[in-house]
Amino acid sequence: MNEQKNESMNWHVHVSKDFFPLWKEKMETFGGKEFKSLGNHFYSFSIDVTLTKEKIKETLFLRYCFPIQYMWPTKLAEKGFIEKCAQGVVDKFQGKKFLNVAVFPLDRKDQKLASNLRGRILQVAREKLSLSTSQKLLVEWTKHPNAQPPHTQTLIVAISDKCIWAGISSPLDAGSFFAGGRRYVGISNENIASRAASKFVEGSEILLLNGINIANAKKWLELGAAPGGITHELVSRNCEVWAIDKADLDKSLLKNPLVHFFQMDAREFKQKLIFDAIFCDMNGPSELSAIICAEKSQLLKKENILIHTLKVHSVAEFEKDFQKVKKIFTEKGCKLLFVHHLYNNKQEVTLFFKKI
């Protein structure tokens, strides 16, 4: 295995190809250069300064990143690949402290190989580096990646048919608890399975990654609730939900005493209640949904969270629409915490606000 050590600050990143031009333009203002597509929405680039969390948040569309500290040419089908790679990676990170290992493939068909490689790297690391993390904890982090502390230093390895990239980062700095930024969410009720429910689960984990736990938010206002994926997810967490939508909510949810469904335009909802949190996933023009949602923020307790999906109807007009939406919420007393293009977002981004 021939090592190629990078002298400059090189990074491995996950950015949706739809938003890559906007992300690249922003990174270039920070000094980013030598952008290269690696396939499946993954890229590499170099930059002469440290890529801080603040800069990462400013670029808006970065799902995952880690510093490329070592890279090697590779052939995944080569006999003995797993053993050779595991031994090589651990040797190259002698003297480096890490508590966990994350391995992910650029192509999902290689997921089993990545899982096997992670297992072997952990074994070799224990033998050579005295990895201090208990086996019980490693098993828990494998089953539930979001159970690991956000600052856990992790050896991250990305694999493809052409190359292996490796570096050390934490879930917080990388941008996700899940290797590569890919978050798959299983939906327990197939009748109302929706991508919105996945966005809620992922969004709550992004908040947790940033030190905000919404587990105690038990009274929710949900705008754009149909068909009921998020409503189902919330009541499964024993939350009470005021669900608003012009379309029908799944009939099974209407029987749940925790669900209060109002089949109407959200502007017509006039009840003077106080909520712990708001989730808005309404369709339609971004400015209109922002105006409606921001107005409802007056029903939100101070210091609590509002999650809003900004539908991107034109990538070319995104920056203008984003600034307009941001201003609408700011004028209603909502502070933008950060923006994230979730793995379960498509032509949209998720905005996280705090009521002030």
PDB file of all heavy atoms in Angstrom, residues 109-144:
ATOM      1  N   LYS A 109     -23.267  -0.062  -2.738  1.00  0.00           N
ATOM      2  CA  LYS A 109     -23.150  -1.503  -2.970  1.00  0.00           C
ATOM      3  C   LYS A 109     -21.982  -2.100  -2.184  1.00  0.00           C
ATOM      4  O   LYS A 109     -21.921  -3.323  -1.988  1.00  0.00           O
ATOM      5  CB  LYS A 109     -22.985  -1.799  -4.458  1.00  0.00           C
ATOM      6  CG  LYS A 109     -21.674  -1.331  -5.070  1.00  0.00           C
ATOM      7  CD  LYS A 109     -21.575  -1.705  -6.527  1.00  0.00           C
ATOM      8  CE  LYS A 109     -20.310  -1.160  -7.176  1.00  0.00           C
ATOM      9  NZ  LYS A 109     -19.075  -1.654  -6.560  1.00  0.00           N
ATOM     10  N   ASP A 110     -21.056  -1.260  -1.750  1.00  0.00           N
ATOM     11  CA  ASP A 110     -19.887  -1.725  -1.005  1.00  0.00           C
ATOM     12  C   ASP A 110     -20.063  -1.584   0.510  1.00  0.00           C
ATOM     13  O   ASP A 110     -19.091  -1.620   1.259  1.00  0.00           O
ATOM     14  CB  ASP A 110     -18.643  -0.946  -1.447  1.00  0.00           C
ATOM     15  CG  ASP A 110     -18.329  -1.152  -2.919  1.00  0.00           C
ATOM     16  OD1 ASP A 110     -18.407  -2.307  -3.375  1.00  0.00           O
ATOM     17  OD2 ASP A 110     -18.001  -0.168  -3.609  1.00  0.00           O
ATOM     18  N   GLN A 111     -21.313  -1.442   0.966  1.00  0.00           N
ATOM     19  CA  GLN A 111     -21.562  -1.219   2.380  1.00  0.00           C
ATOM     20  C   GLN A 111     -21.102  -2.395   3.246  1.00  0.00           C
ATOM     21  O   GLN A 111     -20.522  -2.209   4.320  1.00  0.00           O
ATOM     22  CB  GLN A 111     -23.053  -0.960   2.622  1.00  0.00           C
ATOM     23  CG  GLN A 111     -23.413  -0.624   4.070  1.00  0.00           C
ATOM     24  CD  GLN A 111     -22.682   0.595   4.588  1.00  0.00           C
ATOM     25  OE1 GLN A 111     -22.735   1.667   3.981  1.00  0.00           O
ATOM     26  NE2 GLN A 111     -21.964   0.453   5.695  1.00  0.00           N
ATOM     27  N   LYS A 112     -21.343  -3.620   2.795  1.00  0.00           N
ATOM     28  CA  LYS A 112     -20.934  -4.787   3.575  1.00  0.00           C
ATOM     29  C   LYS A 112     -19.413  -4.830   3.717  1.00  0.00           C
ATOM     30  O   LYS A 112     -18.884  -5.126   4.796  1.00  0.00           O
ATOM     31  CB  LYS A 112     -21.434  -6.068   2.917  1.00  0.00           C
ATOM     32  CG  LYS A 112     -21.129  -7.314   3.730  1.00  0.00           C
ATOM     33  CD  LYS A 112     -21.729  -8.568   3.099  1.00  0.00           C
ATOM     34  CE  LYS A 112     -21.410  -9.802   3.931  1.00  0.00           C
ATOM     35  NZ  LYS A 112     -21.991 -11.034   3.325  1.00  0.00           N
ATOM     36  N   LEU A 113     -18.723  -4.517   2.644  1.00  0.00           N
ATOM     37  CA  LEU A 113     -17.265  -4.486   2.683  1.00  0.00           C
ATOM     38  C   LEU A 113     -16.783  -3.432   3.681  1.00  0.00           C
ATOM     39  O   LEU A 113     -15.854  -3.676   4.461  1.00  0.00           O
ATOM     40  CB  LEU A 113     -16.708  -4.187   1.291  1.00  0.00           C
ATOM     41  CG  LEU A 113     -15.180  -4.145   1.159  1.00  0.00           C
ATOM     42  CD1 LEU A 113     -14.594  -5.519   1.418  1.00  0.00           C
ATOM     43  CD2 LEU A 113     -14.781  -3.656  -0.233  1.00  0.00           C
ATOM     44  N   ALA A 114     -17.420  -2.262   3.668  1.00  0.00           N
ATOM     45  CA  ALA A 114     -17.049  -1.193   4.597  1.00  0.00           C
ATOM     46  C   ALA A 114     -17.267  -1.623   6.045  1.00  0.00           C
ATOM     47  O   ALA A 114     -16.447  -1.346   6.920  1.00  0.00           O
ATOM     48  CB  ALA A 114     -17.857   0.065   4.288  1.00  0.00           C
ATOM     49  N   SER A 115     -18.379  -2.328   6.293  1.00  0.00           N
ATOM     50  CA  SER A 115     -18.672  -2.802   7.646  1.00  0.00           C
ATOM     51  C   SER A 115     -17.623  -3.810   8.114  1.00  0.00           C
ATOM     52  O   SER A 115     -17.154  -3.751   9.259  1.00  0.00           O
ATOM     53  CB  SER A 115     -20.063  -3.440   7.671  1.00  0.00           C
ATOM     54  OG  SER A 115     -20.370  -3.925   8.950  1.00  0.00           O
ATOM     55  N   ASN A 116     -17.241  -4.717   7.216  1.00  0.00           N
ATOM     56  CA  ASN A 116     -16.211  -5.705   7.562  1.00  0.00           C
ATOM     57  C   ASN A 116     -14.861  -5.041   7.806  1.00  0.00           C
ATOM     58  O   ASN A 116     -14.110  -5.436   8.713  1.00  0.00           O
ATOM     59  CB  ASN A 116     -16.095  -6.748   6.457  1.00  0.00           C
ATOM     60  CG  ASN A 116     -17.316  -7.646   6.369  1.00  0.00           C
ATOM     61  OD1 ASN A 116     -18.065  -7.782   7.324  1.00  0.00           O
ATOM     62  ND2 ASN A 116     -17.530  -8.252   5.211  1.00  0.00           N
ATOM     63  N   LEU A 117     -14.559  -4.031   7.008  1.00  0.00           N
ATOM     64  CA  LEU A 117     -13.292  -3.314   7.172  1.00  0.00           C
ATOM     65  C   LEU A 117     -13.265  -2.589   8.512  1.00  0.00           C
ATOM     66  O   LEU A 117     -12.247  -2.616   9.221  1.00  0.00           O
ATOM     67  CB  LEU A 117     -13.094  -2.320   6.028  1.00  0.00           C
ATOM     68  CG  LEU A 117     -11.845  -1.429   6.124  1.00  0.00           C
ATOM     69  CD1 LEU A 117     -10.571  -2.262   6.207  1.00  0.00           C
ATOM     70  CD2 LEU A 117     -11.786  -0.459   4.935  1.00  0.00           C
ATOM     71  N   ARG A 118     -14.370  -1.978   8.887  1.00  0.00           N
ATOM     72  CA  ARG A 118     -14.423  -1.295  10.191  1.00  0.00           C
ATOM     73  C   ARG A 118     -14.154  -2.272  11.325  1.00  0.00           C
ATOM     74  O   ARG A 118     -13.387  -1.986  12.253  1.00  0.00           O
ATOM     75  CB  ARG A 118     -15.781  -0.630  10.399  1.00  0.00           C
ATOM     76  CG  ARG A 118     -15.921   0.021  11.774  1.00  0.00           C
ATOM     77  CD  ARG A 118     -17.280   0.687  11.956  1.00  0.00           C
ATOM     78  NE  ARG A 118     -17.362   1.318  13.269  1.00  0.00           N
ATOM     79  CZ  ARG A 118     -17.900   0.738  14.349  1.00  0.00           C
ATOM     80  NH1 ARG A 118     -18.391  -0.484  14.280  1.00  0.00           N
ATOM     81  NH2 ARG A 118     -17.936   1.393  15.499  1.00  0.00           N
ATOM     82  N   GLY A 119     -14.790  -3.444  11.244  1.00  0.00           N
ATOM     83  CA  GLY A 119     -14.586  -4.433  12.284  1.00  0.00           C
ATOM     84  C   GLY A 119     -13.131  -4.843  12.421  1.00  0.00           C
ATOM     85  O   GLY A 119     -12.616  -4.967  13.539  1.00  0.00           O
ATOM     86  N   ARG A 120     -12.466  -5.030  11.283  1.00  0.00           N
ATOM     87  CA  ARG A 120     -11.065  -5.445  11.335  1.00  0.00           C
ATOM     88  C   ARG A 120     -10.162  -4.311  11.811  1.00  0.00           C
ATOM     89  O   ARG A 120      -9.206  -4.537  12.569  1.00  0.00           O
ATOM     90  CB  ARG A 120     -10.610  -5.940   9.958  1.00  0.00           C
ATOM     91  CG  ARG A 120      -9.191  -6.486   9.950  1.00  0.00           C
ATOM     92  CD  ARG A 120      -9.013  -7.583  10.968  1.00  0.00           C
ATOM     93  NE  ARG A 120      -7.615  -8.042  11.055  1.00  0.00           N
ATOM     94  CZ  ARG A 120      -7.037  -8.471  12.158  1.00  0.00           C
ATOM     95  NH1 ARG A 120      -7.735  -8.529  13.293  1.00  0.00           N
ATOM     96  NH2 ARG A 120      -5.789  -8.860  12.160  1.00  0.00           N
ATOM     97  N   ILE A 121     -10.456  -3.059  11.404  1.00  0.00           N
ATOM     98  CA  ILE A 121      -9.656  -1.922  11.879  1.00  0.00           C
ATOM     99  C   ILE A 121      -9.754  -1.811  13.400  1.00  0.00           C
ATOM    100  O   ILE A 121      -8.753  -1.570  14.087  1.00  0.00           O
ATOM    101  CB  ILE A 121     -10.110  -0.605  11.210  1.00  0.00           C
ATOM    102  CG1 ILE A 121      -9.724  -0.598   9.728  1.00  0.00           C
ATOM    103  CG2 ILE A 121      -9.469   0.602  11.912  1.00  0.00           C
ATOM    104  CD1 ILE A 121     -10.239   0.615   8.967  1.00  0.00           C
ATOM    105  N   LEU A 122     -10.952  -2.006  13.940  1.00  0.00           N
ATOM    106  CA  LEU A 122     -11.123  -1.948  15.393  1.00  0.00           C
ATOM    107  C   LEU A 122     -10.301  -3.042  16.086  1.00  0.00           C
ATOM    108  O   LEU A 122      -9.682  -2.794  17.126  1.00  0.00           O
ATOM    109  CB  LEU A 122     -12.601  -2.104  15.749  1.00  0.00           C
ATOM    110  CG  LEU A 122     -13.483  -0.873  15.528  1.00  0.00           C
ATOM    111  CD1 LEU A 122     -14.956  -1.238  15.658  1.00  0.00           C
ATOM    112  CD2 LEU A 122     -13.122   0.235  16.508  1.00  0.00           C
ATOM    113  N   GLN A 123     -10.279  -4.238  15.503  1.00  0.00           N
ATOM    114  CA  GLN A 123      -9.481  -5.324  16.089  1.00  0.00           C
ATOM    115  C   GLN A 123      -7.997  -4.987  16.072  1.00  0.00           C
ATOM    116  O   GLN A 123      -7.289  -5.151  17.071  1.00  0.00           O
ATOM    117  CB  GLN A 123      -9.729  -6.617  15.310  1.00  0.00           C
ATOM    118  CG  GLN A 123     -11.112  -7.201  15.507  1.00  0.00           C
ATOM    119  CD  GLN A 123     -11.353  -8.420  14.629  1.00  0.00           C
ATOM    120  OE1 GLN A 123     -10.656  -8.645  13.640  1.00  0.00           O
ATOM    121  NE2 GLN A 123     -12.351  -9.218  14.985  1.00  0.00           N
ATOM    122  N   VAL A 124      -7.517  -4.503  14.929  1.00  0.00           N
ATOM    123  CA  VAL A 124      -6.089  -4.178  14.801  1.00  0.00           C
ATOM    124  C   VAL A 124      -5.723  -3.014  15.710  1.00  0.00           C
ATOM    125  O   VAL A 124      -4.654  -2.986  16.330  1.00  0.00           O
ATOM    126  CB  VAL A 124      -5.738  -3.859  13.333  1.00  0.00           C
ATOM    127  CG1 VAL A 124      -4.274  -3.422  13.206  1.00  0.00           C
ATOM    128  CG2 VAL A 124      -5.999  -5.070  12.439  1.00  0.00           C
ATOM    129  N   ALA A 125      -6.622  -2.030  15.806  1.00  0.00           N
ATOM    130  CA  ALA A 125      -6.359  -0.877  16.666  1.00  0.00           C
ATOM    131  C   ALA A 125      -6.228  -1.300  18.117  1.00  0.00           C
ATOM    132  O   ALA A 125      -5.398  -0.766  18.868  1.00  0.00           O
ATOM    133  CB  ALA A 125      -7.464   0.163  16.507  1.00  0.00           C
ATOM    134  N   ARG A 126      -7.044  -2.258  18.540  1.00  0.00           N
ATOM    135  CA  ARG A 126      -6.951  -2.761  19.916  1.00  0.00           C
ATOM    136  C   ARG A 126      -5.603  -3.441  20.136  1.00  0.00           C
ATOM    137  O   ARG A 126      -4.981  -3.299  21.187  1.00  0.00           O
ATOM    138  CB  ARG A 126      -8.073  -3.758  20.186  1.00  0.00           C
ATOM    139  CG  ARG A 126      -9.400  -3.100  20.475  1.00  0.00           C
ATOM    140  CD  ARG A 126     -10.353  -4.097  21.125  1.00  0.00           C
ATOM    141  NE  ARG A 126     -11.604  -3.452  21.455  1.00  0.00           N
ATOM    142  CZ  ARG A 126     -11.806  -2.675  22.506  1.00  0.00           C
ATOM    143  NH1 ARG A 126     -10.810  -2.420  23.323  1.00  0.00           N
ATOM    144  NH2 ARG A 126     -12.987  -2.143  22.742  1.00  0.00           N
ATOM    145  N   GLU A 127      -5.160  -4.188  19.148  1.00  0.00           N
ATOM    146  CA  GLU A 127      -3.899  -4.919  19.271  1.00  0.00           C
ATOM    147  C   GLU A 127      -2.689  -3.983  19.284  1.00  0.00           C
ATOM    148  O   GLU A 127      -1.743  -4.176  20.051  1.00  0.00           O
ATOM    149  CB  GLU A 127      -3.765  -5.906  18.111  1.00  0.00           C
ATOM    150  CG  GLU A 127      -4.833  -6.998  18.101  1.00  0.00           C
ATOM    151  CD  GLU A 127      -4.886  -7.728  16.766  1.00  0.00           C
ATOM    152  OE1 GLU A 127      -4.069  -7.417  15.873  1.00  0.00           O
ATOM    153  OE2 GLU A 127      -5.769  -8.607  16.600  1.00  0.00           O
ATOM    154  N   LYS A 128      -2.732  -2.933  18.445  1.00  0.00           N
ATOM    155  CA  LYS A 128      -1.551  -2.096  18.252  1.00  0.00           C
ATOM    156  C   LYS A 128      -1.575  -0.775  19.007  1.00  0.00           C
ATOM    157  O   LYS A 128      -0.533  -0.219  19.342  1.00  0.00           O
ATOM    158  CB  LYS A 128      -1.367  -1.811  16.756  1.00  0.00           C
ATOM    159  CG  LYS A 128      -1.032  -3.051  15.937  1.00  0.00           C
ATOM    160  CD  LYS A 128      -0.647  -2.670  14.524  1.00  0.00           C
ATOM    161  CE  LYS A 128      -0.151  -3.879  13.744  1.00  0.00           C
ATOM    162  NZ  LYS A 128       0.307  -3.525  12.379  1.00  0.00           N
ATOM    163  N   LEU A 129      -2.796  -0.249  19.260  1.00  0.00           N
ATOM    164  CA  LEU A 129      -2.891   1.090  19.829  1.00  0.00           C
ATOM    165  C   LEU A 129      -3.529   1.109  21.208  1.00  0.00           C
ATOM    166  O   LEU A 129      -3.685   2.176  21.794  1.00  0.00           O
ATOM    167  CB  LEU A 129      -3.707   1.999  18.892  1.00  0.00           C
ATOM    168  CG  LEU A 129      -3.250   2.095  17.433  1.00  0.00           C
ATOM    169  CD1 LEU A 129      -4.151   3.067  16.678  1.00  0.00           C
ATOM    170  CD2 LEU A 129      -1.806   2.562  17.347  1.00  0.00           C
ATOM    171  N   SER A 130      -3.949  -0.044  21.703  1.00  0.00           N
ATOM    172  CA  SER A 130      -4.634  -0.109  23.000  1.00  0.00           C
ATOM    173  C   SER A 130      -5.854   0.807  23.010  1.00  0.00           C
ATOM    174  O   SER A 130      -6.023   1.650  23.897  1.00  0.00           O
ATOM    175  CB  SER A 130      -3.672   0.274  24.141  1.00  0.00           C
ATOM    176  OG  SER A 130      -2.587  -0.621  24.183  1.00  0.00           O
ATOM    177  N   LEU A 131      -6.693   0.665  21.990  1.00  0.00           N
ATOM    178  CA  LEU A 131      -7.915   1.455  21.909  1.00  0.00           C
ATOM    179  C   LEU A 131      -8.711   1.314  23.199  1.00  0.00           C
ATOM    180  O   LEU A 131      -9.064   0.217  23.612  1.00  0.00           O
ATOM    181  CB  LEU A 131      -8.756   0.990  20.715  1.00  0.00           C
ATOM    182  CG  LEU A 131      -9.986   1.812  20.356  1.00  0.00           C
ATOM    183  CD1 LEU A 131      -9.589   3.203  19.883  1.00  0.00           C
ATOM    184  CD2 LEU A 131     -10.797   1.106  19.263  1.00  0.00           C
ATOM    185  N   SER A 132      -8.981   2.435  23.864  1.00  0.00           N
ATOM    186  CA  SER A 132      -9.521   2.399  25.225  1.00  0.00           C
ATOM    187  C   SER A 132     -11.033   2.233  25.291  1.00  0.00           C
ATOM    188  O   SER A 132     -11.574   1.961  26.361  1.00  0.00           O
ATOM    189  CB  SER A 132      -9.125   3.672  25.970  1.00  0.00           C
ATOM    190  OG  SER A 132      -9.633   4.817  25.302  1.00  0.00           O
ATOM    191  N   THR A 133     -11.732   2.389  24.177  1.00  0.00           N
ATOM    192  CA  THR A 133     -13.183   2.282  24.201  1.00  0.00           C
ATOM    193  C   THR A 133     -13.607   0.842  24.456  1.00  0.00           C
ATOM    194  O   THR A 133     -13.104  -0.080  23.815  1.00  0.00           O
ATOM    195  CB  THR A 133     -13.787   2.757  22.867  1.00  0.00           C
ATOM    196  OG1 THR A 133     -13.214   4.019  22.518  1.00  0.00           O
ATOM    197  CG2 THR A 133     -15.287   2.909  22.983  1.00  0.00           C
ATOM    198  N   SER A 134     -14.539   0.639  25.373  1.00  0.00           N
ATOM    199  CA  SER A 134     -14.978  -0.716  25.714  1.00  0.00           C
ATOM    200  C   SER A 134     -15.727  -1.344  24.547  1.00  0.00           C
ATOM    201  O   SER A 134     -16.345  -0.648  23.731  1.00  0.00           O
ATOM    202  CB  SER A 134     -15.880  -0.684  26.943  1.00  0.00           C
ATOM    203  OG  SER A 134     -17.128  -0.086  26.633  1.00  0.00           O
ATOM    204  N   GLN A 135     -15.696  -2.666  24.489  1.00  0.00           N
ATOM    205  CA  GLN A 135     -16.414  -3.386  23.438  1.00  0.00           C
ATOM    206  C   GLN A 135     -17.909  -3.121  23.528  1.00  0.00           C
ATOM    207  O   GLN A 135     -18.594  -2.978  22.512  1.00  0.00           O
ATOM    208  CB  GLN A 135     -16.129  -4.884  23.545  1.00  0.00           C
ATOM    209  CG  GLN A 135     -16.728  -5.725  22.421  1.00  0.00           C
ATOM    210  CD  GLN A 135     -16.197  -5.347  21.056  1.00  0.00           C
ATOM    211  OE1 GLN A 135     -15.038  -4.949  20.916  1.00  0.00           O
ATOM    212  NE2 GLN A 135     -17.041  -5.448  20.036  1.00  0.00           N
ATOM    213  N   LYS A 136     -18.426  -3.060  24.746  1.00  0.00           N
ATOM    214  CA  LYS A 136     -19.847  -2.791  24.945  1.00  0.00           C
ATOM    215  C   LYS A 136     -20.234  -1.443  24.352  1.00  0.00           C
ATOM    216  O   LYS A 136     -21.279  -1.311  23.698  1.00  0.00           O
ATOM    217  CB  LYS A 136     -20.172  -2.822  26.444  1.00  0.00           C
ATOM    218  CG  LYS A 136     -21.644  -2.596  26.751  1.00  0.00           C
ATOM    219  CD  LYS A 136     -21.908  -2.666  28.251  1.00  0.00           C
ATOM    220  CE  LYS A 136     -23.380  -2.427  28.558  1.00  0.00           C
ATOM    221  NZ  LYS A 136     -23.660  -2.486  30.028  1.00  0.00           N
ATOM    222  N   LEU A 137     -19.396  -0.437  24.561  1.00  0.00           N
ATOM    223  CA  LEU A 137     -19.685   0.893  24.043  1.00  0.00           C
ATOM    224  C   LEU A 137     -19.588   0.924  22.515  1.00  0.00           C
ATOM    225  O   LEU A 137     -20.412   1.556  21.843  1.00  0.00           O
ATOM    226  CB  LEU A 137     -18.716   1.913  24.649  1.00  0.00           C
ATOM    227  CG  LEU A 137     -19.124   3.391  24.615  1.00  0.00           C
ATOM    228  CD1 LEU A 137     -20.515   3.587  25.206  1.00  0.00           C
ATOM    229  CD2 LEU A 137     -18.102   4.227  25.363  1.00  0.00           C
ATOM    230  N   LEU A 138     -18.604   0.231  21.965  1.00  0.00           N
ATOM    231  CA  LEU A 138     -18.465   0.180  20.509  1.00  0.00           C
ATOM    232  C   LEU A 138     -19.677  -0.484  19.860  1.00  0.00           C
ATOM    233  O   LEU A 138     -20.135  -0.047  18.798  1.00  0.00           O
ATOM    234  CB  LEU A 138     -17.188  -0.571  20.131  1.00  0.00           C
ATOM    235  CG  LEU A 138     -15.878   0.180  20.373  1.00  0.00           C
ATOM    236  CD1 LEU A 138     -14.688  -0.745  20.148  1.00  0.00           C
ATOM    237  CD2 LEU A 138     -15.770   1.399  19.459  1.00  0.00           C
ATOM    238  N   VAL A 139     -20.198  -1.521  20.503  1.00  0.00           N
ATOM    239  CA  VAL A 139     -21.396  -2.185  19.992  1.00  0.00           C
ATOM    240  C   VAL A 139     -22.583  -1.227  20.032  1.00  0.00           C
ATOM    241  O   VAL A 139     -23.368  -1.142  19.077  1.00  0.00           O
ATOM    242  CB  VAL A 139     -21.699  -3.459  20.804  1.00  0.00           C
ATOM    243  CG1 VAL A 139     -23.086  -4.019  20.442  1.00  0.00           C
ATOM    244  CG2 VAL A 139     -20.630  -4.512  20.562  1.00  0.00           C
ATOM    245  N   GLU A 140     -22.703  -0.479  21.123  1.00  0.00           N
ATOM    246  CA  GLU A 140     -23.793   0.496  21.246  1.00  0.00           C
ATOM    247  C   GLU A 140     -23.679   1.579  20.173  1.00  0.00           C
ATOM    248  O   GLU A 140     -24.684   1.952  19.548  1.00  0.00           O
ATOM    249  CB  GLU A 140     -23.753   1.131  22.640  1.00  0.00           C
ATOM    250  CG  GLU A 140     -24.744   2.267  22.854  1.00  0.00           C
ATOM    251  CD  GLU A 140     -26.197   1.839  22.822  1.00  0.00           C
ATOM    252  OE1 GLU A 140     -26.469   0.626  22.857  1.00  0.00           O
ATOM    253  OE2 GLU A 140     -27.059   2.731  22.742  1.00  0.00           O
ATOM    254  N   TRP A 141     -22.477   2.089  19.933  1.00  0.00           N
ATOM    255  CA  TRP A 141     -22.277   3.128  18.920  1.00  0.00           C
ATOM    256  C   TRP A 141     -22.505   2.587  17.508  1.00  0.00           C
ATOM    257  O   TRP A 141     -22.896   3.332  16.610  1.00  0.00           O
ATOM    258  CB  TRP A 141     -20.873   3.706  19.029  1.00  0.00           C
ATOM    259  CG  TRP A 141     -20.653   4.516  20.276  1.00  0.00           C
ATOM    260  CD1 TRP A 141     -21.608   4.922  21.168  1.00  0.00           C
ATOM    261  CD2 TRP A 141     -19.408   5.017  20.764  1.00  0.00           C
ATOM    262  NE1 TRP A 141     -21.038   5.650  22.185  1.00  0.00           N
ATOM    263  CE2 TRP A 141     -19.682   5.724  21.971  1.00  0.00           C
ATOM    264  CE3 TRP A 141     -18.094   4.936  20.318  1.00  0.00           C
ATOM    265  CZ2 TRP A 141     -18.682   6.341  22.709  1.00  0.00           C
ATOM    266  CZ3 TRP A 141     -17.095   5.548  21.053  1.00  0.00           C
ATOM    267  CH2 TRP A 141     -17.382   6.259  22.243  1.00  0.00           C
ATOM    268  N   THR A 142     -22.268   1.292  17.321  1.00  0.00           N
ATOM    269  CA  THR A 142     -22.522   0.682  16.024  1.00  0.00           C
ATOM    270  C   THR A 142     -24.021   0.608  15.758  1.00  0.00           C
ATOM    271  O   THR A 142     -24.489   0.940  14.663  1.00  0.00           O
ATOM    272  CB  THR A 142     -21.917  -0.735  15.955  1.00  0.00           C
ATOM    273  OG1 THR A 142     -20.509  -0.662  16.168  1.00  0.00           O
ATOM    274  CG2 THR A 142     -22.181  -1.377  14.598  1.00  0.00           C
ATOM    275  N   LYS A 143     -24.780   0.188  16.764  1.00  0.00           N
ATOM    276  CA  LYS A 143     -26.235   0.089  16.623  1.00  0.00           C
ATOM    277  C   LYS A 143     -26.899   1.455  16.607  1.00  0.00           C
ATOM    278  O   LYS A 143     -27.863   1.683  15.872  1.00  0.00           O
ATOM    279  CB  LYS A 143     -26.818  -0.744  17.770  1.00  0.00           C
ATOM    280  CG  LYS A 143     -26.430  -2.213  17.740  1.00  0.00           C
ATOM    281  CD  LYS A 143     -27.050  -2.950  18.919  1.00  0.00           C
ATOM    282  CE  LYS A 143     -26.711  -4.430  18.903  1.00  0.00           C
ATOM    283  NZ  LYS A 143     -27.277  -5.141  20.080  1.00  0.00           N
ATOM    284  N   HIS A 144     -26.362   2.371  17.421  1.00  0.00           N
ATOM    285  CA  HIS A 144     -26.970   3.695  17.565  1.00  0.00           C
ATOM    286  C   HIS A 144     -25.865   4.760  17.483  1.00  0.00           C
ATOM    287  O   HIS A 144     -25.378   5.232  18.520  1.00  0.00           O
ATOM    288  CB  HIS A 144     -27.710   3.807  18.894  1.00  0.00           C
ATOM    289  CG  HIS A 144     -28.715   2.726  19.129  1.00  0.00           C
ATOM    290  ND1 HIS A 144     -29.908   2.646  18.442  1.00  0.00           N
ATOM    291  CD2 HIS A 144     -28.698   1.646  19.967  1.00  0.00           C
ATOM    292  CE1 HIS A 144     -30.585   1.590  18.842  1.00  0.00           C
ATOM    293  NE2 HIS A 144     -29.879   0.968  19.763  1.00  0.00           N
TER     294      HIS A 144
END
